[in-house]
């Protein structure tokens, strides 16, 4: 099985290049992670409402907002036009791009693509990605 996946990934890289293979593997693993944990559909009553408020106005440094100085993602969301609860989309896109970047980076370090796929799978199903998907 290990050899079969390695052959498939090498064929993918020959056909689409390293970045294309990274995007395909990243898409597969991101969708698998989304099936494993349901993506968040609202910001909820916890800290999400404060991030949503920051996505509407990223420089509202008020004492009532406990996450007022963690404004990078809400600022990115604000700048690309995903304001308010649409900060969820920004979080999902960042998680997706992170998975692609992990595959692309580790593919440059390892000889066999299946080793890179294993590392990327471990990252994709770690709490870093899963909590970002579930608690967007």
């Amino acid at each position: 099985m290990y050899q079969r996946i390695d052959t498939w990934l090498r064929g993918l890289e020959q056909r689409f290049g390293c970045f294309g293979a990274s995007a395909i593997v990243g898409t597969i693993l991101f969708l698998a992670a989304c099936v494993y944990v349901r993506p968040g559909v609202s910001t909820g009553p916890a800290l999400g409402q404060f991030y949503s408020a920051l996505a509407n106005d990223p420089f509202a440094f008020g004492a009532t907002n406990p996450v007022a100085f963690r404004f990078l993602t809400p600022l990115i969301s604000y700048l690309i036009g995903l304001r308010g609860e649409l900060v969820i989309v920004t979080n999902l896109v960042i998680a997706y791009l992170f998975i692609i970047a992990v595959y692309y980076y580790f593919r440059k370090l390892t000889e066999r693509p299946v080793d890179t796929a294993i590392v990327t799978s471990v990252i994709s199903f770690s709490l870093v990605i899963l909590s970002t998907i579930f608690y967007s």
Side-chain angles (χ1 to χ4, degrees), residues 3-129:
Q3 186 64 33
R4 186 181 303 162
I5 295 171
D6 196 48
T7 304
W8 182 75
L9 288 171
R10 285 187 195 276
L12 206 61
E13 288 179 2
Q14 287 176 351
R15 185 168 183 189
F16 297 107
C18 188
F19 185 76
S22 301
I24 292 169
V25 172
T27 301
I28 292 168
L29 289 173
F30 180 75
L31 291 175
C34 285
V35 168
Y36 186 65
V37 294
R38 176 191 53 84
V41 293
S42 68
T43 53
L47 293 177
Q49 65 185 353
F50 299 114
Y51 284 109
S52 176
L54 277 179
N56 282 326
D57 185 11
F59 298 108
F61 302 122
T64 59
N65 192 339
V67 295
F69 296 104
R70 300 181 73 187
F71 64 93
L72 182 59
T73 303
L75 177 64
I76 293 169
S77 187
Y78 178 82
L79 291 175
I80 62 175
L82 297 172
R83 298 188 171 115
E85 283 200 353
L86 291 177
V87 72
I88 293 171
V89 175
T90 306
N91 287 335
L92 293 175
V93 168
I94 290 172
Y96 173 64
L97 292 176
F98 181 70
I99 293 170
I100 291 173
V102 166
Y103 185 91
Y104 187 78
Y105 175 76
F106 278 99
R107 186 60 190 110
K108 300 294 182 183
L109 294 178
T110 62
E111 184 177 322
R112 296 184 71 183
V114 71
D115 295 333
T116 301
I118 290 171
V119 169
T120 309
S121 297
V122 168
I123 294 295
S124 298
F125 292 100
S126 70
L127 281 179
V128 173
I129 299 296

